[in-house]
Amino acid sequence: MEMNEDDIAEKNYRSTLPGPLGAIDTWISRTEAVILAVGVILMAINTIANVLSRFLLGESLHFSEEINRILIVMITFAGIGYAARHGRHIRMSAIYDAVPTGGRRWMMIVISLFTALVMFVLCYYSIGYISTLYGRGRVLPSLSIPVWMMYVWVPIGFAITGIQYLLTAIKNLTSRDVYLSTHVVDGYKDTETEV
């Protein structure tokens, strides 16, 4: 399978942030990539094992659903920071695309700051939710793991995503180009389509 330019750039990601921020950002990016890869592989192995158990032994693995729930939460909230870092988030850009470059840069600053604020607010509320779960002392029935541990990824993911959007706003404030993330310049690539 051939890798395109975007895949190669993501694989060889090095932060453009200065000093220790760049080293930390690069480390976080690589850690997120490993978490995502391992999480997806573990989910596939767990699901396949459950299907084989059901067909060969006649019953499902009783802990399989809980493991997949934990992995889905982990992958989802580790993935939102990764998507923000690589400019892979969903955008509604009809109005944005119609605005000249200078206006788009200021729109991106406002959008990034607002999104960062929303992520930090969600981080705050998710910590409160985890505290509530911790206080209740609930555990997963099959694995006997405290339920709150499954959701630790939620505030971490929101915080890292908020930081990424904040850094994107700073990058746009200090640059003449429009950036979707700290290293992804806004624009569309010309692609050939076969007729």
Side-chain angles (χ1 to χ4, degrees):
M1 184 171 103
E2 289 186 36
M3 294 174 66
N4 65 25
E5 284 180 32
D6 291 338
D7 293 335
I8 293 169
E10 284 181 29
K11 183 180 177 197
N12 300 321
Y13 177 79
R14 296 221 31 100
S15 178
T16 58
L17 298 171
L21 283 178
I24 292 168
D25 187 40
T26 300
W27 180 81
I28 289 172
S29 175
R30 292 198 174 135
T31 303
E32 285 172 339
V34 169
I35 289 169
L36 292 171
V38 169
V40 169
I41 290 168
L42 289 175
M43 193 182 311
I45 290 169
N46 181 46
T47 303
I48 291 168
N50 191 34
V51 169
L52 289 175
S53 174
R54 193 174 324 130
F55 284 114
L56 298 176
L57 304 176
E59 63 182 66
S60 295
L61 301 172
H62 63 281
F63 54 84
S64 183
E65 180 188 344
E66 290 176 3
I67 289 175
N68 274 352
R69 281 177 49 201
I70 293 167
L71 292 170
I72 286 170
V73 170
M74 182 183 78
I75 290 167
T76 300
F77 289 95
I80 59 174
Y82 185 87
R85 175 178 288 103
H86 294 285
R88 298 288 179 116
H89 43 78
I90 297 172
R91 297 186 303 144
M92 309 290 182
S93 61
I95 296 170
Y96 174 84
D97 287 343
V99 175
T101 302
R104 281 198 316 252
R105 190 165 60 83
W106 284 105
M107 284 179 76
M108 185 56 69
I109 291 167
V110 170
I111 291 167
S112 296
L113 288 174
F114 179 75
T115 305
L117 177 67
V118 169
M119 292 296 116
F120 291 134
V121 167
L122 289 172
C123 178
Y124 172 79
Y125 282 112
S126 66
I127 291 170
Y129 179 69
I130 290 171
S131 290
T132 302
L133 288 175
Y134 178 79
R136 291 181 180 162
R138 289 181 45 210
V139 295
L140 295 171
S142 295
L143 297 173
S144 297
I145 296 171
V147 172
W148 68 268
M149 291 179 80
M150 179 171 66
Y151 295 108
V152 167
W153 291 102
V154 176
I156 293 170
F158 283 140
I160 289 174
T161 306
I163 291 167
Q164 284 301 316
Y165 279 108
L166 189 61
L167 293 173
T168 300
I170 293 168
K171 183 74 171 185
N172 280 300
L173 280 168
T174 59
S175 174
R176 297 186 74 166
D177 290 326
V178 180
Y179 282 84
L180 299 176
S181 71
T182 55
H183 73 282
V184 177
V185 179
D186 184 25
Y188 295 101
K189 293 183 181 177
D190 291 333
T191 58
E192 288 186 33
T193 56
E194 295 181 31
V195 186

